Amino acid sequence: MITVQATPYPYAFPPGKTALVVIDMQRDFIEPGGFGAALGNDVSRLLAIVPNVAALLALFRAKGWPVIHTREAHLPDLSDCPPAKIARGDASPRIGEVGPMGRLLVRGEAGNQIVPALAPLAGERVVDKPGKGMFWATGLHEVLQAEGISHLIFAGVTTEVCVQTSMREANDRGYDCLLITDATESYFAEFKAATIAMITAQGGIVGWAAPFAALEAAL
Ligand code: TIU
Protein backbone atom coordinates (compact mmCIF):
# COMPACT_ATOMS: atom_id res chain seq x y z
CA MET A 1 0.00 0.00 0.00
CA ILE A 2 1.05 3.58 -0.66
CA THR A 3 -0.15 6.16 1.84
CA VAL A 4 -0.92 9.75 0.87
CA GLN A 5 -1.29 12.53 3.42
CA ALA A 6 -4.87 13.55 2.75
CA THR A 7 -8.03 15.06 4.19
CA PRO A 8 -9.67 13.90 6.42
CA TYR A 9 -6.98 11.27 7.16
CA PRO A 10 -4.28 9.41 5.20
CA TYR A 11 -5.44 7.66 2.01
CA ALA A 12 -3.87 4.25 1.43
CA PHE A 13 -4.03 2.70 -2.04
CA PRO A 14 -2.76 -0.54 -3.54
CA PRO A 15 -0.74 -0.02 -6.74
CA GLY A 16 -2.11 -2.29 -9.43
CA LYS A 17 -5.63 -2.01 -8.09
CA THR A 18 -5.80 1.76 -8.41
CA ALA A 19 -6.78 3.70 -11.53
CA LEU A 20 -6.51 7.38 -12.36
CA VAL A 21 -9.80 8.80 -13.63
CA VAL A 22 -9.58 12.02 -15.63
CA ILE A 23 -13.07 13.39 -15.97
CA ASP A 24 -14.21 15.30 -19.09
CA MET A 25 -11.06 17.30 -19.93
CA GLN A 26 -12.65 17.89 -23.33
CA ARG A 27 -12.70 21.01 -25.46
CA ASP A 28 -16.47 21.39 -24.78
CA PHE A 29 -15.65 22.51 -21.24
CA ILE A 30 -12.09 23.83 -21.43
CA GLU A 31 -11.97 25.97 -24.58
CA PRO A 32 -13.88 29.08 -25.66
CA GLY A 33 -16.77 28.19 -27.98
CA GLY A 34 -17.71 24.95 -26.23
CA PHE A 35 -20.67 23.83 -24.15
CA GLY A 36 -19.27 25.32 -20.93
CA ALA A 37 -18.79 28.71 -22.53
CA ALA A 38 -22.25 28.46 -24.11
CA LEU A 39 -23.68 28.19 -20.61
CA GLY A 40 -22.09 31.55 -19.82
CA ASN A 41 -19.04 30.34 -17.94
CA ASP A 42 -15.46 31.67 -17.81
CA VAL A 43 -13.54 28.67 -19.17
CA SER A 44 -10.09 30.10 -18.35
CA ARG A 45 -10.42 28.79 -14.79
CA LEU A 46 -10.54 25.24 -16.17
CA LEU A 47 -7.76 25.72 -18.70
CA ALA A 48 -5.42 26.63 -15.84
CA ILE A 49 -5.36 23.08 -14.40
CA VAL A 50 -4.25 21.41 -17.65
CA PRO A 51 -0.54 21.36 -16.60
CA ASN A 52 -1.39 19.74 -13.26
CA VAL A 53 -3.55 17.09 -14.91
CA ALA A 54 -0.72 16.48 -17.40
CA ALA A 55 1.71 15.96 -14.51
CA LEU A 56 -0.69 13.52 -12.86
CA LEU A 57 -1.06 11.61 -16.12
CA ALA A 58 2.71 11.53 -16.55
CA LEU A 59 3.11 10.06 -13.09
CA PHE A 60 0.60 7.24 -13.71
CA ARG A 61 2.07 6.56 -17.15
CA ALA A 62 5.61 6.39 -15.73
CA LYS A 63 4.41 3.83 -13.18
CA GLY A 64 2.45 1.87 -15.78
CA TRP A 65 -0.70 2.26 -13.67
CA PRO A 66 -4.14 2.26 -15.35
CA VAL A 67 -5.60 5.50 -16.69
CA ILE A 68 -9.24 6.12 -17.59
CA HIS A 69 -10.43 9.19 -19.47
CA THR A 70 -14.08 10.15 -19.64
CA ARG A 71 -15.97 12.44 -21.97
CA GLU A 72 -19.49 13.73 -21.55
CA ALA A 73 -20.70 12.58 -24.94
CA HIS A 74 -23.96 11.64 -26.62
CA LEU A 75 -24.79 9.65 -29.71
CA PRO A 76 -25.39 11.79 -32.81
CA ASP A 77 -29.12 10.97 -32.74
CA LEU A 78 -29.19 11.91 -29.02
CA SER A 79 -31.00 8.64 -28.26
CA ASP A 80 -28.89 8.29 -25.09
CA CYS A 81 -29.69 11.80 -23.88
CA PRO A 82 -32.83 12.16 -21.76
CA PRO A 83 -35.21 14.80 -23.19
CA ALA A 84 -35.10 16.63 -19.86
CA LYS A 85 -31.32 16.97 -20.19
CA ILE A 86 -31.66 18.44 -23.69
CA ALA A 87 -34.41 20.81 -22.60
CA ARG A 88 -32.58 22.11 -19.52
CA GLY A 89 -31.47 25.73 -19.65
CA ASP A 90 -32.78 29.15 -20.44
CA ALA A 91 -31.55 30.94 -23.53
CA SER A 92 -28.34 28.96 -23.88
CA PRO A 93 -27.66 26.58 -26.81
CA ARG A 94 -28.85 23.01 -26.28
CA ILE A 95 -26.95 19.71 -26.38
CA GLY A 96 -26.78 18.66 -30.04
CA GLU A 97 -26.92 22.20 -31.44
CA VAL A 98 -24.07 23.38 -33.63
CA GLY A 99 -21.42 25.56 -32.01
CA PRO A 100 -18.00 26.81 -33.13
CA MET A 101 -16.48 23.34 -32.43
CA GLY A 102 -19.35 21.31 -33.88
CA ARG A 103 -22.43 19.86 -32.21
CA LEU A 104 -22.36 20.38 -28.46
CA LEU A 105 -21.53 17.27 -26.37
CA VAL A 106 -21.92 14.94 -29.36
CA ARG A 107 -19.54 12.06 -30.00
CA GLY A 108 -17.01 12.57 -32.76
CA GLU A 109 -17.33 16.36 -32.89
CA ALA A 110 -14.22 18.54 -32.54
CA GLY A 111 -15.42 19.98 -29.25
CA ASN A 112 -15.95 16.54 -27.82
CA GLN A 113 -12.25 15.64 -28.03
CA ILE A 114 -9.99 15.72 -25.01
CA VAL A 115 -7.65 18.73 -25.13
CA PRO A 116 -4.46 17.86 -27.04
CA ALA A 117 -2.17 18.31 -24.01
CA LEU A 118 -4.04 15.50 -22.23
CA ALA A 119 -4.77 13.26 -25.21
CA PRO A 120 -5.27 9.59 -24.30
CA LEU A 121 -2.48 7.19 -25.23
CA ALA A 122 -3.03 3.81 -26.83
CA GLY A 123 -4.19 1.38 -24.16
CA GLU A 124 -5.85 4.00 -21.99
CA ARG A 125 -9.60 3.51 -21.63
CA VAL A 126 -11.81 6.33 -22.92
CA VAL A 127 -15.37 6.22 -21.60
CA ASP A 128 -18.09 8.18 -23.37
CA LYS A 129 -20.75 8.85 -20.77
CA PRO A 130 -24.21 10.27 -21.43
CA GLY A 131 -24.63 11.35 -17.82
CA LYS A 132 -22.73 13.54 -15.43
CA GLY A 133 -21.55 10.42 -13.58
CA MET A 134 -19.10 7.90 -15.06
CA PHE A 135 -21.04 4.77 -14.15
CA TRP A 136 -24.53 5.50 -15.45
CA ALA A 137 -25.15 3.71 -18.77
CA THR A 138 -21.46 3.00 -19.37
CA GLY A 139 -20.89 -0.56 -18.08
CA LEU A 140 -17.69 0.71 -16.46
CA HIS A 141 -18.28 -0.84 -13.04
CA GLU A 142 -18.34 -4.36 -14.49
CA VAL A 143 -15.10 -3.68 -16.39
CA LEU A 144 -13.33 -2.33 -13.30
CA GLN A 145 -14.57 -5.23 -11.19
CA ALA A 146 -13.21 -7.70 -13.73
CA GLU A 147 -9.85 -5.94 -13.56
CA GLY A 148 -9.81 -5.94 -9.75
CA ILE A 149 -9.76 -2.15 -9.43
CA SER A 150 -10.73 -1.08 -5.90
CA HIS A 151 -9.32 2.47 -5.65
CA LEU A 152 -9.87 5.48 -7.91
CA ILE A 153 -7.89 8.72 -7.98
CA PHE A 154 -9.86 11.57 -9.54
CA ALA A 155 -9.00 14.64 -11.58
CA GLY A 156 -10.88 16.71 -14.13
CA VAL A 157 -13.87 18.99 -14.51
CA THR A 158 -16.08 20.28 -13.20
CA THR A 159 -15.50 19.57 -9.54
CA GLU A 160 -19.09 19.84 -8.38
CA VAL A 161 -20.79 18.42 -11.46
CA CYS A 162 -19.18 15.48 -13.29
CA VAL A 163 -16.31 14.88 -10.87
CA GLN A 164 -18.44 14.90 -7.76
CA THR A 165 -21.23 12.85 -9.38
CA SER A 166 -18.69 10.26 -10.52
CA MET A 167 -17.04 10.14 -7.11
CA ARG A 168 -20.37 9.64 -5.41
CA GLU A 169 -21.33 6.90 -7.85
CA ALA A 170 -17.94 5.26 -7.24
CA ASN A 171 -18.28 5.53 -3.47
CA ASP A 172 -21.66 3.82 -3.56
CA ARG A 173 -20.13 1.00 -5.62
CA GLY A 174 -17.43 0.39 -3.02
CA TYR A 175 -14.41 2.18 -4.44
CA ASP A 176 -12.09 4.17 -2.17
CA CYS A 177 -11.72 7.54 -3.90
CA LEU A 178 -9.14 10.33 -3.69
CA LEU A 179 -9.68 13.72 -5.35
CA ILE A 180 -6.53 15.60 -6.41
CA THR A 181 -7.47 19.13 -5.44
CA ASP A 182 -5.21 21.05 -7.81
CA ALA A 183 -6.07 18.81 -10.76
CA THR A 184 -9.78 19.60 -10.65
CA GLU A 185 -11.61 22.87 -11.19
CA SER A 186 -15.00 24.48 -11.33
CA TYR A 187 -16.33 27.56 -13.09
CA PHE A 188 -17.22 28.66 -9.54
CA ALA A 189 -14.43 28.80 -6.93
CA GLU A 190 -16.91 28.53 -4.09
CA PHE A 191 -18.48 25.38 -5.54
CA LYS A 192 -15.07 23.70 -5.80
CA ALA A 193 -14.30 24.54 -2.18
CA ALA A 194 -17.72 23.38 -1.02
CA THR A 195 -17.40 20.10 -2.94
CA ILE A 196 -14.03 19.29 -1.39
CA ALA A 197 -15.44 20.14 2.03
CA MET A 198 -18.56 18.02 1.64
CA ILE A 199 -16.90 14.91 0.23
CA THR A 200 -14.30 14.84 3.00
CA ALA A 201 -16.60 15.80 5.89
CA GLN A 202 -18.01 13.27 8.32
CA GLY A 203 -14.89 11.11 8.26
CA GLY A 204 -14.65 11.05 4.46
CA ILE A 205 -18.30 10.35 3.75
CA VAL A 206 -17.57 10.28 0.00
CA GLY A 207 -13.78 10.05 -0.01
CA TRP A 208 -10.45 11.80 0.46
CA ALA A 209 -8.80 14.92 -0.96
CA ALA A 210 -5.14 15.87 -1.35
CA PRO A 211 -2.98 18.09 -3.57
CA PHE A 212 -0.80 16.51 -6.29
CA ALA A 213 2.33 17.22 -4.24
CA ALA A 214 1.05 14.91 -1.49
CA LEU A 215 0.69 12.06 -4.00
CA GLU A 216 4.15 12.76 -5.37
CA ALA A 217 5.62 12.84 -1.87
CA ALA A 218 4.03 9.49 -1.06
CA LEU A 219 5.87 7.92 -4.00
N1 TIU B 1 -21.74 22.57 -16.40
C1 TIU B 1 -20.81 21.97 -15.67
O1 TIU B 1 -20.29 22.52 -14.71
N2 TIU B 1 -20.41 20.71 -15.97
C2 TIU B 1 -20.96 19.87 -16.90
O2 TIU B 1 -21.96 20.15 -17.53
N3 TIU B 1 -20.30 18.68 -17.12
C3 TIU B 1 -19.15 18.30 -16.43
O3 TIU B 1 -18.91 18.69 -15.29
N4 TIU B 1 -18.27 17.53 -17.08
Side-chain angles (χ1 to χ4, degrees):
M1 297 290 265
I2 293 171
T3 302
V4 182
Q5 292 308 310
T7 302
Y9 59 90
Y11 173 81
F13 69 93
K17 295 186 173 183
T18 305
L20 172 65
V21 182
V22 181
I23 299 285
D24 297 3
M25 292 297 289
Q26 62 202 65
R27 300 178 70 198
D28 289 307
F29 297 112
I30 310 281
E31 295 186 11
F35 182 67
L39 296 176
N41 298 302
D42 170 11
V43 296
S44 65
R45 292 184 52 81
L46 274 52
L47 186 61
I49 64 158
V50 168
N52 288 354
V53 179
L56 187 54
L57 273 169
L59 186 153
F60 267 72
R61 287 167 175 166
K63 295 285 185 188
W65 293 344
V67 172
I68 301 165
H69 304 260
T70 70
R71 296 182 289 214
E72 187 171 346
H74 303 90
L75 295 169
D77 66 1
L78 303 185
S79 59
D80 58 353
C81 191
K85 187 178 182 186
I86 299 172
R88 193 69 54 81
D90 40 30
S92 57
R94 299 285 193 263
I95 293 169
E97 288 184 8
V98 178
M101 293 190 287
R103 295 179 67 207
L104 299 170
L105 297 191
V106 170
R107 288 192 198 194
E109 300 288 336
N112 208 225
Q113 307 310 309
I114 291 169
V115 295
L118 307 177
L121 298 183
E124 294 177 352
R125 180 167 281 113
V126 180
V127 177
D128 285 326
K129 59 181 184 57
K132 301 302 183 191
M134 66 195 257
F135 288 105
W136 183 68
T138 62
L140 183 60
H141 181 51
E142 291 70 19
V143 170
L144 296 182
Q145 291 298 288
E147 294 178 356
I149 300 293
S150 57
H151 289 61
L152 297 173
I153 296 182
F154 281 87
V157 298
T158 60
T159 315
E160 81 281 11
V161 183
C162 292
V163 175
Q164 179 173 210
T165 303
S166 296
M167 241 179 121
R168 287 178 179 276
E169 286 185 340
N171 187 52
D172 277 352
R173 285 164 177 78
Y175 300 91
D176 276 332
C177 299
L178 171 68
L179 176 61
I180 302 299
T181 52
D182 46 3
T184 184
E185 194 48 86
S186 167
Y187 299 119
F188 307 91
E190 68 274 28
F191 289 175
K192 174 180 176 178
T195 300
I196 294 168
M198 69 177 77
I199 65 170
T200 59
Q202 304 182 72
I205 195 76
V206 177
W208 288 257
F212 178 60
L215 177 61
E216 272 190 311
L219 303 176

